[in-house]
Amino acid sequence: SFHASHFDFLLRGPSDPLPSNPLREWLPNLAWSMVISLTELDDFEGFAQTMEKEAPNRFKDWFNELAPEDSKLPLHWKGLDTNYFQKLLVIRCLRPDRMAIALTTWIRGALPDSKEYMECDASL
């Protein structure tokens, strides 16, 4: 399902001050700040706690993937693969460097005849 607040988060990201980062060993402070802001959205309430307390090493492994957009998130968050738009929000927080590729994946799955839009060339 589509939530306007999720779309707004995807486009703008948070503007909150940086909270203390308990995962600073491997996670940039800005990424932790984005995760904290993400938890304010519906369906993401426990995300920061899961990262910090339940599976920090598994999230670190996901974070370090070459193509995390193609990998399942740890624990029950792997269910976001069935709603790729929501997975985009996690990617936006943790791996913004992969957003262009992740958006391409989402567009290909969301738009009818998306291949025509994504693989067009100058001959059109």
Side-chain angles (χ1 to χ4, degrees):
S1 65
F2 180 79
H3 298 281
S5 60
H6 291 180
F7 188 70
D8 186 58
F9 184 90
L10 182 69
L11 292 178
R12 298 178 191 194
S15 58
D16 298 335
L18 294 174
S20 176
N21 179 0
L23 304 172
R24 65 186 154 276
E25 174 188 313
W26 59 270
L27 186 68
N29 289 333
L30 182 58
W32 181 249
S33 177
M34 300 243 335
V35 166
I36 295 301
S37 294
L38 180 67
T39 62
E40 297 171 9
L41 298 178
D42 290 342
D43 304 323
F44 291 96
E45 293 84 2
F47 190 78
Q49 181 176 344
T50 302
M51 280 188 68
E52 179 184 0
K53 307 245 187 258
E54 295 174 34
N57 290 331
R58 291 173 73 183
F59 273 95
K60 180 180 178 182
D61 292 343
W62 183 89
F63 177 84
N64 288 322
E65 288 281 340
L66 291 176
E69 67 279 1
D70 296 331
S71 301
K72 291 190 181 302
L73 286 158
L75 304 177
H76 63 280
W77 297 103
K78 67 184 171 208
L80 291 181
D81 280 357
T82 61
N83 186 340
Y84 200 81
F85 186 83
Q86 288 184 332
K87 188 173 183 179
L88 285 174
L89 303 181
V90 174
I91 295 167
R92 169 85 160 85
C93 292
L94 299 177
R95 289 293 302 273
D97 60 307
R98 303 299 297 177
M99 278 303 294
I101 293 165
L103 281 168
T104 300
T105 300
W106 176 67
I107 290 169
R108 285 188 176 154
L111 289 179
D113 300 322
S114 60
K115 187 174 182 177
E116 293 179 28
Y117 298 105
M118 300 306 295
E119 297 176 12
C120 63
D121 59 25
S123 65
L124 293 176

